[in-house]
């Protein structure tokens, strides 16, 4: 079982990896080259990915990771969200920032996160966290993305337990000592709602059951052993098994794997994201702050 130290360690490494990702993410680079370096850095620091680094451009708010032969480039003027997940014995650090694009929009999400962290203590209602996020982002003249939210973190599970809203949704659930959560304000110059779009290249094991196809069976075994219930990237399978298109299609159709869709702002607004993970107490610890 993961101890508090594991949560602190996963957070610290996630923070270091995000900092590294920011330092290398320069316009002109292919997303795949950024992703490979981020993957390598996580292992170099003695941890494993909790999910594939999300590299989402412009109006895509979240859930994009490149494939092996992906041609997508982070171009000058693009707004790039970098969202890093790290795990140590199942304990998770989940942290994100935004580079490029409109600096005010980026600042709105970052300041909303800072304000939210001040409200994240044992005994406070989750809606109060959402309230300051909404107020902060609105003060910049932008909108929070209402149908994306922060979340509880538990061992080997990225989204579990409490929902940490990005607006005052009236939820009076109390934060409690020992809760592990992520807070992630998304700010947009659009409507403030995301819809599901194209494939993200991110998958998760949903329901293990017998499959006849040999390659699909090998993939399921590999995923169970290496990623358990955590999301994984198509590229990680491509690196090991070559072409996995047919097997993935089969496994998604059979309900063995869940395929995450990209989440795109409905009105094509630009989206900025900032995220930290916290260990809640009277005085909470921001585990991903370095
Ligand atoms: Mn995240
Ligand atoms: Mn998160």
């Amino acid at each position: 079982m993961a101890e508090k130290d594991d949560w602190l360690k996963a957070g610290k490494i996630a923070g270091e990896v995000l900092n590294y990702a920011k330092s290398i993410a320069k316009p002109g680079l292919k997303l795949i080259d950024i992703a490979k370096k981020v993957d390598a850095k996580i292992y170099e620091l003695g941890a494993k990915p909790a999910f594939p680094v999300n590299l989402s451009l412009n109006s895509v708010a979240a859930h994009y990771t490149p494939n092996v032969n992906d041609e997508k480039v982070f171009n000058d003027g693009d707004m790039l969200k970098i969202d890093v997940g790290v795990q140590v014995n199942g304990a998770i650090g989940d942290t994100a920032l935004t580079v490029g694009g409109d600096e005010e929009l980026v600042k709105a999400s970052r300041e909303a996160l800072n304000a939210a962290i001040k409200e994240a203590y044992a005994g406070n209602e989750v809606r109060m966290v959402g309230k300051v996020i909404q107020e902060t982002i609105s003060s910049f003249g932008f909108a929070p993305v209402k149908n994306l939210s922060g979340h509880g973190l538990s061992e080997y599970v990225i989204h579990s337990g409490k929902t940490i809203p990005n607006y005052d949704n009236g939820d009076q659930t109390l934060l409690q000592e020992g809760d592990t959560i992520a807070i992630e304000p998304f700010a947009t110059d659009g409507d403030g709602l995301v819809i599901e779009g194209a494939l993200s290249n991110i998958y998760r094991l949903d329901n293990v059951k017998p499959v006849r196809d040999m390659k699909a069976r090998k993939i399921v075994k590999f995923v169970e052993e290496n990623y358990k219930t955590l999301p994984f990237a198509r590229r990680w399978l491509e690196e090991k098994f070559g072409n996995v298109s047919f097997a993935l299609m089969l496994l998604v159709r059979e309900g063995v794997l869940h395929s995450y869709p990209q989440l795109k702002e409905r009105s094509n607004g630009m989206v900025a994201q900032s995220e930290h993970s916290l260990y809640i107490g009277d005085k909470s610890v921001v585990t991903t702050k370095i």
Side-chain angles (χ1 to χ4, degrees):
M1 190 178 148
E3 305 291 336
K4 184 177 179 183
D5 277 355
D6 293 323
W7 289 92
L8 298 179
K9 188 176 172 194
K12 183 164 183 285
I13 294 174
E16 284 171 7
V17 173
L18 185 65
N19 203 31
Y20 167 76
K22 185 187 180 190
S23 76
I24 61 161
K26 301 296 177 206
L29 277 182
K30 283 185 181 177
L31 296 186
I32 184 62
D33 293 328
I34 301 171
K36 279 184 176 170
K37 286 182 175 170
V38 170
D39 285 350
K41 193 69 173 178
I42 293 172
Y43 287 103
E44 186 190 315
L45 294 177
K48 290 180 181 171
F51 54 81
V53 59
N54 283 214
L55 297 170
S56 308
L57 288 169
N58 302 326
S59 60
V60 178
H63 295 177
Y64 187 77
T65 206
N67 287 329
V68 165
N69 295 315
D70 209 304
E71 293 296 326
K72 273 205 175 66
V73 172
F74 170 36
N75 286 309
D76 216 5
D78 279 345
M79 179 169 270
L80 175 67
K81 276 75 64 186
I82 308 174
D83 193 337
V84 167
V86 159
Q87 61 110 342
V88 173
N89 294 326
I92 295 165
D94 180 7
T95 184
L97 55 72
T98 303
V99 292
D102 177 0
E103 279 177 33
E104 281 297 292
L105 190 55
V106 176
K107 198 172 162 196
S109 75
R110 195 170 56 228
E111 294 206 354
L113 176 59
N114 291 336
I117 286 169
K118 295 196 182 98
E119 296 295 322
Y121 51 84
N124 203 11
E125 297 169 355
V126 294
R127 72 178 189 89
M128 297 306 288
V129 179
K131 185 167 183 280
V132 294
I133 290 173
Q134 182 173 30
E135 285 169 357
T136 307
I137 292 174
S138 300
S139 76
F140 282 85
F142 300 119
V145 176
K146 287 188 171 177
N147 59 346
L148 289 176
S149 47
H151 47 92
L153 296 161
S154 64
E155 272 177 56
Y156 295 106
V157 183
I158 306 284
H159 293 101
S160 79
K162 291 168 190 175
T163 295
I164 315 299
N166 283 329
Y167 67 105
D168 182 357
N169 66 347
D171 185 349
Q172 296 179 315
T173 301
L174 300 180
L175 291 170
Q176 288 171 303
E177 176 90 38
D179 280 352
T180 43
I181 64 164
I183 302 177
E184 49 184 314
F186 290 81
T188 180
D189 57 8
D191 288 351
L193 288 171
V194 289
I195 53 171
E196 296 186 347
L199 294 181
S200 67
N201 309 316
I202 303 170
Y203 297 83
R204 185 193 67 226
L205 193 61
D206 229 10
N207 182 16
V208 181
K209 57 185 173 189
V211 281
R212 217 170 288 172
D213 184 78
M214 182 66 88
K215 193 166 191 176
R217 215 152 60 203
K218 280 186 184 160
I219 287 172
V220 171
K221 186 163 179 280
F222 182 77
V223 168
E224 273 188 293
E225 284 170 5
N226 290 278
Y227 313 125
K228 296 187 168 63
T229 43
L230 291 168
F232 60 89
R234 178 185 176 127
R235 71 171 174 280
W236 298 342
L237 299 182
E238 288 174 326
E239 283 162 3
K240 174 145 182 83
F241 298 98
N243 189 331
V244 292
S245 297
F246 181 74
L248 284 179
M249 188 198 71
L250 206 69
L251 289 168
V252 170
R253 203 180 62 198
E254 294 291 318
V256 177
L257 294 183
H258 171 72
S259 168
Y260 290 84
Q262 291 180 41
L263 299 172
K264 198 171 191 306
E265 213 283 326
R266 187 177 70 173
S267 60
N268 290 317
M270 285 284 165
V271 181
Q273 175 201 19
S274 301
E275 179 176 25
H276 271 307
S277 296
L278 292 89
Y279 193 97
I280 299 296
D282 287 338
K283 289 197 83 178
S284 298
V285 182
V286 182
T287 64
T288 47
K289 192 164 256 178
I290 55 162

